[in-house]
Every structure is written in C-alpha cells, then in structure tokens.
Amino acid sequence: MVNRNGRSLRLLALALALTLVAAACGDDDDDVAGGGGGGGGDEQEQPAEGEIDVAEGVTVDTEDCPSGWSDTAGITDTEIRLGISLAESGPFATFGPIDDGMRAYYDYLNENDPIVEGKSIELVGRDDAYDPARTLSNVEEMLQSGDIFAFDHVVGSPQNLAIQDLLNEECVPQMLNATGHPAWGDPENYPWTSGGLLSYNTESQLWCNYVSDELGEGATVAGLFVDNDFGAAYQQVIEDCADEGTIDLVESVTVDPTSPDVTDEITTISASGADVAMLGLSGSFCSQAMAAIAQSSWDPMTLLSNTCQSIATYFTPVDPAGDGVLTLAYVKEIGDPRWADDEAVQLARQILTDAGLDPDRGAAITGVQFGMQTEPFLRAAAEMEGGLTRTNLLKAIWNSDHVDALQFDGMQVKTDGVNDAYMVEGARFAEYTYDEASGEGTYEYVTDLINVEGETGVYDG
C-alpha cells in the first residue's frame, strides 16, 4: 500500500473539508446513538432509541424498526461491514470492477487511516447481473446474516428501487446509491436512502438546455433509452422538453436491458436523420451505441449519459468511435493529462496500482471514486457523540457540507434535509476528443461549471 502518513493523505484526498451543521451532532438524549465517542472504537453503549431528529424535516423512529434491530449492527470488534450488489456478469458486467476499486480504497484506509481505530472496513459484495430480483435476493441474504452495517453504492436504478422499501423498513442505510434516479432525494419518506450521482432529471434537463442554446429551439432529437427505471428518468424529461417546444423529439426508442446489443435500435433512430442523438444508456450499451453511430452515415450531435463518462471503461475500447461525443462530467477524469498533477487523482492512481489494478482500464477507478465519496460520511458519523452508528450516519448524510477532491473546483457535497436532498448539483459539458497521432482520447470541456447547488430541492414524485 501507499507508504505515507495516513491522516495527511486523507486530508489531501478529501480537500481538508468535513463541516456538518450543528443539528447533525444532536444534543438531546434521543439524538445520542450510543458507543465510544469520537470514533475511537471503544466499548459501545446503549443504541439510540425512540424518535430521532436526523435533519430538517427528517425524523426516524427506532420503535418502528424490526425487533432486535441494532444501531451498531455490522460493526464488530475488528470490522465495519458494508454491503454492495452490482452486475459482475451479463450485459452490464462492465460495472463489476467497481467492487475491486472500492476494496482497494478501503484497504488503503484500513492500513493508513482507519475510520475507527482498530476496525477495518470490510466490503461484502454480491453479483446481481443487473437483475433487480437478484439484487433483492442478495440484500435479503445479507440482512439475514445480521452483519451488514450499511449498503454502499449499490448499482442500478431498478436494483435500488427493488430494495428501497425493504431497507427503510429494516432501518438499514442504503447510502449513496450508484445511480442518479431522482427518487433518492426523498429523505422525509425514505430517510435511509440517499443517492451519490447527479440526478438524471437534472442531467437530461441540462441536455435540453444545451441543445437549445447551441442549435436553437426546435432542433430535432432522436432518443434511445434503456427500458427500465433508469432510462425512463431520462426519457420523461426529454419528452417534457419536447412538449414545451425546447426540442423536437422525432424518434424515441427503448432497448430491453437484457438485450445483447443496441444495433437495431441505433439503426432505427439513425434513420430519423435527427440533429441530435440523446442516449440514456449504461453499461456495454454505451460503447456499442457509439460504435454503431460511427459506422453509420448519421452524424448527429451525440449526448451520452454521465454513467458512461469513464474514458477507460467506455471510450477507449471503441476508439475512435466516441470522437465528438458529449457527456456531463463532474469528476476529474483519471486518464486525462490535464489532471496528471492533481493530488487526488495521483492518489487514486497510486492506490489502484498498488492493488495490482490498471488505473487506465475498466471501472475500478469508479470504485475508488465511490470509496472516496463514502469516507467523509463514515468519518463524520464516527466523530459525533455516540460514535459510528446507523442513525449518526443518517445525520452525516442529510446534513453534509464538504468538498470532494475528485469533483471539479467550485462544487460542494451539500445537503440540508428536506430543503436540499441531492449531493451532486453541478457539472460541465465535456466533449471526447480522440488524437490519432497519440492513439489517446481526452475530454475538452466545452462549458464552465454549471452549478445548480441547492436548486434541485427534493423528489416530488
């Protein structure tokens, strides 16, 4: 592992920022979650009981939790056990290495600067092949074991929707879902669920605005969306844009998530001759769509889901097919030379290299990013009165105000209960540019940071 002082590395990676509002700490007896204070890992006291004010407009009542529920379940004398379910097989198997990257980051923390002294983060992973039924089965199995403290960055909108009710009924944190479905911004009704990505509603609205600004109102658009909750979030907003006259949606096609490829669907939308292709796709469909468009005679402005922003995972395998494709980005691309001297990027690359993982191939880097995103919430909870507990974790999540060093300058990870329930509210349009001479591709940022911090509010259904 990296042989440096652990605390200075953590501060470097997370930009020296972890400020939680006073409400997060809780002074009343009902707000004390029991256990060694300050994250010291000492003997745990009585868990939190009764009604607990988590954040503005957000309350949980442990009396509604299952019999035998514990605020510190999944925390042993030596471990903090987190669960994840994601596709490691099937059409969305490109997500699989996320698990490897998260493990690499947590191993690094365990060795250099543990969240709680004497306790290591243990990531328990399960393959769901992007099948919501398997996600539910995986989570039920892990819950039955009784040794999972929280679920961390479960991948996929349908997958997280399949487990949302269960985890809220079981009073187990479903934190930082690795999906931008807007439903994760509903702490009043689902306090145990939070999202870690830019909302798809926000993203697709920014697409519409960009097309209107660049091509004028009424530019023709053809859309291709995964036929599930993920794709529907994009499709609905884009159809709303068309109804308002911002764009002219001339073709809207969906693809079954179990389909082996999107060749037929790309043929259909390319026949429209539209000015713009909007692709609400994920997994291997991203690369397939870029390749299919490049091989056709159609030459649209192409907008691709932020879930496909990783150059190493989605663009490099089909170079130069992605040349000119636009996406919304909010994290520094690890393979982009412009970030070569960035300390957080250097740290991420070093952690992957030391773990025997290639930082320039596959989605392991996304896993490191997710681990870095999770760390400050665990650490903030551990520093609260009562130490690291599930209810303290909720307070940290819904009262956050810090900077993620892998996100662009000017962005904040900020929440305020029912006033502001989305953690990522900023992005820049990035155009992928392939250099034939070097055989490498990078992003050119074609807009400044579009900052909508505090404007998204909460999920309204």
Side-chain angles (χ1 to χ4, degrees):
M1 304 304 294
V2 183
N3 184 20
R4 303 181 191 174
N5 179 269
R7 179 159 295 276
S8 63
L9 278 171
R10 172 175 69 84
L11 296 177
L12 182 67
L14 297 167
L16 290 166
L18 248 181
T19 305
L20 293 170
V21 298
C25 297
D27 294 325
D28 297 334
D29 289 344
D30 281 348
D31 285 341
V32 178
D42 295 333
E43 185 179 329
Q44 294 287 340
E45 299 174 5
Q46 191 68 23
E49 293 182 356
E51 190 170 286
I52 301 168
D53 292 327
V54 170
E56 179 70 27
V58 184
T59 302
V60 296
D61 189 345
T62 63
E63 296 297 324
D64 295 332
C65 298
S67 175
W69 175 87
S70 169
D71 212 5
T72 56
I75 300 180
T76 71
D77 290 341
T78 58
E79 291 182 337
I80 302 164
R81 295 177 64 81
L82 304 177
I84 184 173
S85 182
L86 76 172
E88 298 184 70
S89 59
F92 291 81
T94 50
F95 292 138
I98 289 174
D99 181 297
D100 299 326
M102 290 177 72
R103 290 175 192 278
Y105 188 71
Y106 291 148
D107 286 347
Y108 159 75
L109 283 185
N110 295 338
E111 183 171 320
N112 291 277
D113 189 18
I115 300 296
V116 176
E117 193 63 38
K119 299 183 192 293
S120 296
I121 296 176
E122 175 69 19
L123 187 66
V124 181
R126 296 285 189 274
D127 176 22
D128 58 30
Y130 204 71
D131 177 355
R134 285 183 59 177
T135 309
L136 180 58
S137 177
N138 288 344
V139 168
E140 287 174 336
E141 177 185 321
M142 286 189 271
L143 287 176
Q144 287 168 8
S145 72
D147 62 358
I148 298 297
F149 174 66
F151 287 86
D152 184 9
H153 282 95
V154 172
V155 177
S157 296
Q159 289 68 29
N160 278 284
L161 287 168
I163 61 176
Q164 184 179 25
D165 285 337
L166 173 64
L167 290 179
N168 279 264
E169 290 167 3
E170 295 289 328
C171 302
V172 177
Q174 180 189 7
M175 66 172 172
L176 304 173
N177 294 345
T179 147
H181 197 284
W184 318 143
D186 188 10
E188 181 177 7
N189 297 304
Y190 290 97
W192 299 91
T193 301
S194 55
L197 304 186
L198 180 71
S199 168
Y200 300 145
N201 281 13
T202 301
E203 182 180 358
S204 43
Q205 184 62 58
L206 293 177
W207 284 5
C208 293
N209 296 347
Y210 182 82
V211 168
S212 178
D213 290 344
E214 294 296 313
L215 303 181
E217 283 196 2
T220 55
V221 172
L224 174 57
F225 313 97
V226 180
D227 190 12
N228 61 15
D229 296 292
F230 159 78
Y234 286 93
Q235 189 174 20
Q236 181 59 60
V237 173
I238 290 167
E239 289 177 351
D240 290 344
C241 290
D243 291 341
E244 295 164 1
T246 307
I247 60 171
D248 179 9
L249 186 61
V250 296
E251 191 72 71
S252 183
V253 175
T254 59
V255 58
D256 191 301
T258 64
S259 178
D261 61 58
V262 295
T263 303
D264 291 345
E265 289 78 10
I266 291 295
T267 299
T268 298
I269 65 172
S270 65
S272 71
D275 301 321
V276 181
M278 291 187 174
L279 306 178
L281 303 176
S282 194
S284 59
F285 290 161
C286 304
S287 301
Q288 292 171 5
M290 288 189 286
I293 290 174
Q295 291 167 8
S296 73
S297 59
W298 189 32
D299 186 25
M301 173 192 286
T302 300
L303 296 164
L304 185 64
S305 168
N306 165 265
T307 64
C308 311
Q309 99 168 47
S310 171
I311 289 176
T313 306
Y314 301 109
F315 286 81
T316 300
V318 292
D319 274 337
D323 188 48
V325 169
L326 293 157
T327 188
L328 272 166
Y330 55 87
V331 295
K332 300 163 186 174
E333 176 60 44
I334 194 171
D336 191 328
R338 84 187 65 219
W339 304 117
D341 295 329
D342 183 271
E343 294 170 330
V345 169
Q346 288 178 339
L347 175 63
R349 294 185 66 89
Q350 188 65 53
I351 288 171
L352 287 176
T353 300
D354 288 351
L357 301 168
D358 187 344
D360 297 309
R361 292 288 183 274
I365 180 54
T366 303
V368 172
Q369 174 201 336
F370 287 169
M372 285 186 170
Q373 187 179 39
T374 298
E375 179 192 354
F377 297 104
L378 293 175
R379 202 172 293 281
E383 291 171 356
M384 290 180 190
E385 184 176 1
L388 183 60
T389 65
R390 287 168 164 173
T391 50
N392 274 351
L393 181 58
L394 292 194
K395 294 174 186 179
I397 286 170
W398 295 119
N399 298 279
S400 64
D401 187 358
H402 61 267
V403 173
D404 184 328
L406 280 179
Q407 291 183 1
F408 294 142
D409 293 344
M411 295 183 64
Q412 286 179 285
V413 179
K414 190 170 184 177
T415 56
D416 181 20
V418 296
N419 298 316
D420 181 7
Y422 294 95
M423 296 179 189
V424 181
E425 294 182 284
R428 301 171 71 180
F429 275 95
E431 181 177 355
Y432 183 70
T433 303
Y434 178 75
D435 186 331
E436 290 188 4
S438 66
E440 296 180 350
T442 59
Y443 280 129
E444 295 297 328
Y445 298 106
V446 297
T447 67
D448 293 331
L449 177 67
I450 304 168
N451 194 336
V452 292
E453 175 57 51
E455 297 179 21
T456 312
V458 294
Y459 181 57
D460 61 8

Coordinates of all heavy atoms in Angstrom, one line a residue, residues 99-161:
D99 N -16.4 -2.9 -7.7 CA -16.2 -3.6 -6.4 C -14.7 -3.6 -6.1 O -14.3 -3.4 -5.0 CB -16.8 -5.0 -6.5 CG -16.6 -5.8 -5.3 OD1 -15.5 -6.1 -4.9 OD2 -17.7 -6.2 -4.7
D100 N -13.9 -4.0 -7.1 CA -12.4 -4.1 -6.9 C -11.8 -2.7 -6.4 O -11.0 -2.6 -5.6 CB -11.7 -4.5 -8.1 CG -12.2 -5.9 -8.6 OD1 -12.5 -6.7 -7.7 OD2 -12.2 -6.2 -9.8
G101 N -12.3 -1.6 -7.1 CA -11.8 -0.3 -6.8 C -12.1 0.1 -5.4 O -11.3 0.7 -4.7
M102 N -13.4 -0.2 -5.0 CA -13.8 0.2 -3.6 C -13.0 -0.5 -2.6 O -12.6 0.0 -1.6 CB -15.3 -0.1 -3.5 CG -16.2 0.9 -4.3 SD -18.0 0.5 -4.1 CE -18.3 1.0 -2.5
R103 N -12.8 -1.8 -2.8 CA -12.0 -2.6 -1.9 C -10.6 -2.1 -1.8 O -10.0 -2.0 -0.7 CB -11.9 -4.1 -2.4 CG -13.2 -4.8 -2.2 CD -13.1 -6.2 -2.8 NE -14.4 -6.8 -2.9 CZ -15.1 -7.4 -1.9 NH1 -14.5 -7.5 -0.7 NH2 -16.3 -7.9 -2.1
A104 N -10.0 -1.7 -2.9 CA -8.6 -1.1 -2.9 C -8.6 0.1 -2.1 O -7.6 0.3 -1.3 CB -8.2 -0.9 -4.3
Y105 N -9.6 1.0 -2.2 CA -9.6 2.2 -1.4 C -9.8 1.9 0.0 O -9.1 2.5 0.9 CB -10.7 3.2 -1.9 CG -10.5 4.5 -1.3 CD1 -9.4 5.4 -1.6 CD2 -11.4 5.0 -0.3 CE1 -9.2 6.6 -0.9 CE2 -11.2 6.2 0.4 CZ -10.1 7.0 0.0 OH -9.9 8.2 0.7
Y106 N -10.7 1.0 0.4 CA -10.9 0.7 1.8 C -9.7 0.0 2.4 O -9.4 0.3 3.6 CB -12.2 -0.1 1.9 CG -13.5 0.7 1.6 CD1 -14.6 0.1 1.1 CD2 -13.5 2.1 1.9 CE1 -15.7 0.8 0.8 CE2 -14.7 2.8 1.6 CZ -15.8 2.2 1.0 OH -16.9 2.9 0.8
D107 N -9.1 -0.8 1.6 CA -7.8 -1.4 2.1 C -6.8 -0.4 2.4 O -6.1 -0.5 3.4 CB -7.3 -2.4 1.1 CG -8.1 -3.7 1.0 OD1 -8.9 -4.0 1.9 OD2 -7.9 -4.5 0.1
Y108 N -6.7 0.6 1.6 CA -5.8 1.7 1.8 C -6.1 2.5 3.1 O -5.3 2.8 3.9 CB -5.8 2.7 0.6 CG -5.3 4.1 0.9 CD1 -4.0 4.3 1.0 CD2 -6.2 5.1 1.1 CE1 -3.5 5.6 1.4 CE2 -5.8 6.4 1.4 CZ -4.4 6.6 1.5 OH -4.0 7.8 1.9
L109 N -7.4 2.8 3.3 CA -7.8 3.5 4.5 C -7.5 2.6 5.7 O -7.0 3.1 6.7 CB -9.3 3.8 4.5 CG -9.9 4.9 3.6 CD1 -11.4 5.1 3.9 CD2 -9.1 6.2 4.0
N110 N -7.9 1.3 5.6 CA -7.6 0.4 6.8 C -6.2 0.5 7.2 O -5.9 0.4 8.4 CB -8.1 -1.0 6.4 CG -9.5 -1.1 6.2 OD1 -10.3 -0.3 6.6 ND2 -9.9 -2.2 5.4
E111 N -5.3 0.5 6.3 CA -3.9 0.5 6.6 C -3.3 1.8 7.0 O -2.4 1.8 7.9 CB -3.1 0.0 5.3 CG -1.6 -0.2 5.6 CD -0.9 -0.9 4.4 OE1 -1.5 -1.8 3.9 OE2 0.2 -0.5 4.1
N112 N -3.8 2.9 6.5 CA -3.2 4.2 6.7 C -3.9 5.1 7.7 O -3.3 5.8 8.4 CB -3.0 4.9 5.4 CG -2.0 4.3 4.5 OD1 -0.8 4.5 4.6 ND2 -2.5 3.4 3.6
D113 N -5.3 5.1 7.6 CA -6.0 6.0 8.5 C -7.5 5.4 8.7 O -8.4 5.9 8.1 CB -6.1 7.4 7.8 CG -6.7 8.4 8.7 OD1 -6.7 8.2 9.9 OD2 -7.1 9.5 8.2
P114 N -7.6 4.4 9.5 CA -8.9 3.8 9.6 C -10.0 4.8 10.1 O -9.7 5.7 10.8 CB -8.7 2.7 10.6 CG -7.4 3.0 11.3 CD -6.6 3.8 10.3
I115 N -11.2 4.5 9.7 CA -12.4 5.3 10.2 C -12.5 5.2 11.7 O -12.7 6.3 12.4 CB -13.7 4.8 9.6 CG1 -13.6 4.9 8.0 CG2 -14.9 5.6 10.1 CD1 -13.5 6.3 7.5
V116 N -12.4 4.1 12.3 CA -12.4 3.8 13.7 C -11.2 3.0 14.0 O -10.9 1.9 13.4 CB -13.7 3.1 14.2 CG1 -13.6 2.8 15.7 CG2 -14.9 3.9 13.8
E117 N -10.4 3.5 14.9 CA -9.1 2.8 15.3 C -9.4 1.4 15.7 O -10.3 1.1 16.5 CB -8.4 3.5 16.4 CG -7.0 3.1 16.6 CD -6.1 3.4 15.4 OE1 -6.3 4.5 14.8 OE2 -5.2 2.5 15.1
G118 N -8.7 0.4 15.0 CA -8.8 -1.0 15.4 C -9.9 -1.7 14.6 O -10.0 -2.9 14.7
K119 N -10.6 -1.0 13.7 CA -11.7 -1.6 12.9 C -11.4 -1.3 11.4 O -11.2 -0.2 11.0 CB -13.0 -1.0 13.3 CG -13.4 -1.3 14.8 CD -14.8 -0.7 15.0 CE -15.1 -0.7 16.5 NZ -15.2 -2.0 17.1
S120 N -11.5 -2.4 10.6 CA -11.3 -2.3 9.2 C -12.6 -2.3 8.5 O -13.5 -3.0 8.9 CB -10.4 -3.5 8.7 OG -9.1 -3.4 9.3
I121 N -12.7 -1.6 7.4 CA -13.9 -1.7 6.5 C -13.8 -3.0 5.7 O -12.8 -3.2 5.1 CB -14.0 -0.5 5.6 CG1 -14.2 0.8 6.4 CG2 -15.2 -0.7 4.6 CD1 -14.2 2.1 5.5
E122 N -14.9 -3.8 5.8 CA -14.9 -5.0 5.0 C -16.1 -4.8 4.1 O -17.3 -4.7 4.5 CB -15.2 -6.2 5.9 CG -15.4 -7.5 5.2 CD -14.1 -8.0 4.5 OE1 -13.0 -7.6 4.9 OE2 -14.3 -8.9 3.6
L123 N -15.8 -4.9 2.8 CA -16.9 -4.8 1.7 C -17.3 -6.2 1.3 O -16.6 -7.0 0.9 CB -16.4 -4.0 0.5 CG -17.4 -3.7 -0.5 CD1 -18.4 -2.7 0.0 CD2 -16.7 -3.1 -1.8
V124 N -18.6 -6.4 1.6 CA -19.2 -7.7 1.2 C -20.0 -7.5 -0.1 O -21.0 -6.8 -0.1 CB -20.2 -8.2 2.3 CG1 -20.8 -9.6 2.0 CG2 -19.4 -8.3 3.7
G125 N -19.5 -8.2 -1.2 CA -20.1 -8.0 -2.5 C -20.9 -9.2 -3.0 O -20.5 -10.3 -2.7
R126 N -21.9 -8.9 -3.8 CA -22.7 -9.9 -4.5 C -23.0 -9.5 -5.9 O -23.2 -8.4 -6.2 CB -24.0 -10.1 -3.8 CG -23.9 -10.6 -2.3 CD -23.6 -12.1 -2.3 NE -23.7 -12.6 -0.9 CZ -22.7 -12.6 0.0 NH1 -21.6 -11.9 -0.3 NH2 -22.9 -13.1 1.2
D127 N -22.9 -10.5 -6.8 CA -23.3 -10.3 -8.2 C -24.8 -10.4 -8.4 O -25.4 -11.4 -8.0 CB -22.5 -11.3 -9.1 CG -22.9 -11.3 -10.6 OD1 -23.3 -10.2 -11.0 OD2 -22.7 -12.3 -11.3
D128 N -25.4 -9.4 -9.1 CA -26.8 -9.5 -9.4 C -27.1 -9.5 -10.9 O -28.3 -9.6 -11.3 CB -27.6 -8.4 -8.7 CG -27.1 -7.0 -9.1 OD1 -26.7 -6.8 -10.2 OD2 -27.2 -6.0 -8.3
A129 N -26.1 -9.4 -11.7 CA -26.2 -9.5 -13.2 C -27.2 -8.4 -13.7 O -27.8 -8.6 -14.7 CB -26.7 -10.9 -13.6
Y130 N -27.3 -7.3 -12.9 CA -28.3 -6.2 -13.3 C -29.7 -6.7 -13.3 O -30.6 -6.2 -14.0 CB -27.9 -5.6 -14.6 CG -28.4 -4.1 -14.7 CD1 -27.8 -3.1 -14.0 CD2 -29.4 -3.8 -15.6 CE1 -28.2 -1.8 -14.1 CE2 -29.8 -2.5 -15.7 CZ -29.2 -1.5 -15.0 OH -29.6 -0.2 -15.1
D131 N -30.0 -7.7 -12.5 CA -31.4 -8.2 -12.3 C -31.9 -7.8 -11.0 O -31.4 -8.2 -9.9 CB -31.3 -9.7 -12.4 CG -32.7 -10.4 -12.3 OD1 -33.7 -9.6 -11.9 OD2 -32.8 -11.6 -12.4
P132 N -33.0 -6.9 -11.0 CA -33.5 -6.4 -9.7 C -33.9 -7.5 -8.7 O -33.7 -7.4 -7.5 CB -34.7 -5.5 -10.1 CG -34.4 -5.1 -11.5 CD -33.7 -6.3 -12.1
A133 N -34.4 -8.6 -9.3 CA -34.8 -9.7 -8.4 C -33.6 -10.3 -7.7 O -33.7 -10.7 -6.5 CB -35.6 -10.8 -9.2
R134 N -32.5 -10.4 -8.4 CA -31.3 -10.9 -7.7 C -30.7 -9.9 -6.7 O -30.2 -10.3 -5.7 CB -30.3 -11.3 -8.8 CG -30.6 -12.6 -9.6 CD -29.5 -12.9 -10.5 NE -28.2 -13.2 -9.9 CZ -27.1 -13.6 -10.6 NH1 -27.2 -13.8 -11.9 NH2 -26.0 -13.8 -10.0
T135 N -30.9 -8.6 -7.0 CA -30.4 -7.6 -6.1 C -31.2 -7.8 -4.8 O -30.6 -7.8 -3.7 CB -30.7 -6.2 -6.6 OG1 -30.1 -6.1 -7.9 CG2 -30.0 -5.2 -5.7
L136 N -32.5 -7.9 -4.9 CA -33.3 -8.1 -3.7 C -32.9 -9.4 -2.9 O -32.8 -9.4 -1.7 CB -34.8 -8.2 -4.1 CG -35.8 -8.4 -3.0 CD1 -35.7 -7.3 -1.9 CD2 -37.2 -8.5 -3.6
S137 N -32.7 -10.4 -3.7 CA -32.3 -11.7 -3.0 C -31.0 -11.5 -2.3 O -30.8 -12.0 -1.2 CB -32.2 -12.8 -4.1 OG -31.8 -14.0 -3.5
N138 N -30.0 -10.8 -3.0 CA -28.7 -10.6 -2.4 C -28.8 -9.8 -1.1 O -28.2 -10.2 -0.1 CB -27.8 -9.8 -3.3 CG -27.3 -10.6 -4.5 OD1 -27.4 -11.9 -4.5 ND2 -26.9 -10.0 -5.6
V139 N -29.6 -8.8 -1.1 CA -29.8 -7.9 0.1 C -30.5 -8.7 1.2 O -30.1 -8.6 2.4 CB -30.5 -6.6 -0.3 CG1 -30.9 -5.9 0.9 CG2 -29.6 -5.8 -1.2
E140 N -31.5 -9.4 0.8 CA -32.2 -10.2 1.9 C -31.3 -11.2 2.5 O -31.3 -11.4 3.8 CB -33.4 -11.0 1.2 CG -34.6 -10.1 0.9 CD -35.7 -10.8 0.1 OE1 -35.4 -11.9 -0.5 OE2 -36.8 -10.4 0.1
E141 N -30.4 -11.8 1.7 CA -29.5 -12.8 2.3 C -28.5 -12.1 3.2 O -28.2 -12.6 4.3 CB -28.7 -13.4 1.1 CG -27.6 -14.4 1.5 CD -26.8 -14.9 0.3 OE1 -27.4 -15.2 -0.7 OE2 -25.6 -15.0 0.5
M142 N -28.0 -10.9 2.8 CA -27.1 -10.2 3.7 C -27.7 -9.7 4.9 O -27.1 -9.7 6.0 CB -26.4 -9.1 2.9 CG -25.4 -9.6 1.9 SD -24.3 -8.3 1.1 CE -25.4 -7.9 -0.3
L143 N -29.0 -9.3 4.8 CA -29.7 -8.8 6.0 C -29.9 -10.0 7.0 O -29.8 -9.8 8.2 CB -31.1 -8.2 5.6 CG -31.1 -6.9 4.9 CD1 -32.5 -6.5 4.5 CD2 -30.5 -5.8 5.9
Q144 N -30.2 -11.1 6.5 CA -30.5 -12.3 7.3 C -29.2 -12.7 8.1 O -29.3 -13.2 9.2 CB -30.9 -13.5 6.5 CG -32.4 -13.3 6.0 CD -32.7 -14.4 4.9 OE1 -32.0 -15.3 4.7 NE2 -33.9 -14.2 4.3
S145 N -28.0 -12.4 7.5 CA -26.8 -12.7 8.3 C -26.6 -11.8 9.5 O -25.9 -12.1 10.4 CB -25.6 -12.5 7.3 OG -25.4 -11.1 7.1
G146 N -27.3 -10.6 9.4 CA -27.3 -9.7 10.5 C -25.9 -8.9 10.7 O -25.7 -8.3 11.8
D147 N -25.0 -9.0 9.8 CA -23.7 -8.4 10.0 C -23.4 -7.4 8.9 O -22.2 -7.2 8.6 CB -22.7 -9.5 10.0 CG -22.5 -10.3 8.7 OD1 -23.3 -10.0 7.8 OD2 -21.7 -11.2 8.7
I148 N -24.4 -6.7 8.4 CA -24.1 -5.6 7.5 C -24.5 -4.3 8.1 O -25.7 -4.1 8.5 CB -24.9 -5.8 6.1 CG1 -24.4 -7.0 5.4 CG2 -24.7 -4.6 5.2 CD1 -23.0 -7.0 5.0
F149 N -23.6 -3.4 8.3 CA -23.9 -2.1 8.9 C -24.7 -1.2 8.0 O -25.7 -0.5 8.4 CB -22.5 -1.4 9.3 CG -22.7 0.0 9.8 CD1 -23.3 0.2 11.0 CD2 -22.2 1.1 9.1 CE1 -23.5 1.5 11.5 CE2 -22.3 2.4 9.5 CZ -22.9 2.6 10.8
A150 N -24.3 -1.1 6.7 CA -25.0 -0.3 5.7 C -24.7 -0.8 4.3 O -23.7 -1.5 4.1 CB -24.5 1.2 5.8
F151 N -25.5 -0.5 3.4 CA -25.3 -0.8 2.0 C -24.7 0.4 1.3 O -25.2 1.5 1.5 CB -26.6 -1.3 1.3 CG -26.9 -2.7 1.7 CD1 -27.7 -2.9 2.9 CD2 -26.5 -3.8 1.0 CE1 -28.0 -4.1 3.3 CE2 -26.8 -5.1 1.5 CZ -27.6 -5.2 2.6
D152 N -23.7 0.2 0.5 CA -22.8 1.2 0.0 C -22.7 1.2 -1.5 O -22.2 0.3 -2.1 CB -21.4 1.1 0.6 CG -20.4 2.1 0.3 OD1 -20.8 3.2 -0.3 OD2 -19.3 2.0 0.6
H153 N -23.3 2.2 -2.2 CA -23.2 2.3 -3.7 C -23.7 1.1 -4.4 O -23.1 0.6 -5.4 CB -21.7 2.6 -4.1 CG -21.3 4.0 -3.9 ND1 -20.7 4.4 -2.7 CD2 -21.4 5.1 -4.6 CE1 -20.4 5.7 -2.8 NE2 -20.9 6.2 -4.0
V154 N -24.9 0.6 -4.1 CA -25.5 -0.4 -4.9 C -25.8 0.2 -6.3 O -26.2 1.3 -6.4 CB -26.8 -0.9 -4.2 CG1 -27.6 -1.8 -5.2 CG2 -26.5 -1.6 -2.9
V155 N -25.5 -0.6 -7.3 CA -25.5 -0.1 -8.7 C -26.8 -0.4 -9.4 O -27.3 -1.5 -9.4 CB -24.3 -0.7 -9.5 CG1 -24.4 -0.2 -11.0 CG2 -23.0 -0.3 -8.9
G156 N -27.4 0.6 -10.0 CA -28.6 0.4 -10.9 C -29.9 1.0 -10.3 O -30.2 0.8 -9.1
S157 N -30.6 1.7 -11.1 CA -31.9 2.3 -10.6 C -32.9 1.2 -10.3 O -33.5 1.3 -9.2 CB -32.5 3.3 -11.7 OG -31.6 4.4 -11.8
P158 N -33.3 0.3 -11.2 CA -34.2 -0.7 -10.8 C -33.8 -1.5 -9.6 O -34.6 -2.0 -8.8 CB -34.3 -1.6 -12.1 CG -33.8 -0.7 -13.2 CD -32.8 0.1 -12.6
Q159 N -32.5 -1.7 -9.5 CA -32.0 -2.5 -8.4 C -32.2 -1.8 -7.1 O -32.6 -2.5 -6.1 CB -30.5 -2.8 -8.7 CG -30.1 -3.7 -9.8 CD -30.5 -3.2 -11.2 OE1 -30.5 -1.9 -11.4 NE2 -30.8 -4.1 -12.1
N160 N -31.9 -0.6 -7.1 CA -32.1 0.2 -5.8 C -33.6 0.4 -5.5 O -34.0 0.4 -4.3 CB -31.4 1.5 -5.9 CG -29.9 1.4 -5.5 OD1 -29.5 1.2 -4.4 ND2 -29.1 1.4 -6.6
L161 N -34.4 0.6 -6.5 CA -35.9 0.6 -6.3 C -36.4 -0.7 -5.7 O -37.3 -0.7 -4.9 CB -36.6 1.0 -7.5 CG -36.4 2.5 -8.0 CD1 -37.0 2.6 -9.4 CD2 -37.2 3.4 -7.1

